Amino acid sequence: MTGADGIVAITVPVEYEIIRLWATQPGRVGMFAQWWPEKQQDGGQIPNRFRFTLEPGTEIGGFVKNEQGQPIAGVRWKFKEQVSAASRLAIATRMKPDAF
């Protein structure tokens, strides 16, 4: 958990297969980052500092019902968003190594 200054310190092991970070807070859009040497073009470089900027978010929800209006239990669902090139750029800008 972050401190009052919004900073968290993480000790990264010398050897690892993959490192994943999630940042979440109620009322904000969560973000995710990962470092996976096998998939990285830079050979697995991990920045000394990294910043997530969590934007305000909105919850959406609803009900899944059958033809008679009764709730259906156990329904699996997916959320997919269409992201424009400008949005991808904005996301990349919010998730970046940071010099503080």
Side-chain angles (χ1 to χ4, degrees):
M1 188 170 289
T2 59
D5 56 4
I7 295 175
V8 63
I10 299 167
T11 302
V12 177
V14 175
E15 293 185 29
Y16 64 91
E17 183 176 335
I18 186 170
I19 292 175
R20 293 182 171 140
L21 299 177
W22 288 266
T24 61
Q25 183 184 44
R28 298 197 173 266
V29 178
M31 297 189 87
F32 165 82
Q34 73 178 12
W35 290 269
W36 193 352
E38 170 181 316
K39 305 288 183 181
Q40 287 178 239
Q41 293 179 359
D42 65 7
Q45 297 293 314
I46 299 174
N48 289 330
R49 295 179 185 262
F50 191 81
R51 178 181 296 204
F52 285 113
T53 302
L54 302 183
E55 300 290 332
T58 301
E59 283 189 30
I60 59 173
F63 298 94
V64 178
K65 297 182 178 183
N66 64 19
E67 295 80 9
Q68 292 76 38
Q70 301 299 314
I72 302 173
V75 173
R76 291 180 184 232
W77 59 273
K78 286 185 181 182
F79 174 79
K80 183 171 180 162
E81 61 181 311
Q82 188 73 26
V83 179
S84 68
S87 293
R88 275 195 226 73
L89 178 60
I91 291 168
T93 301
R94 291 193 319 263
M95 292 180 47
K96 62 184 178 187
D98 193 357
F100 280 88

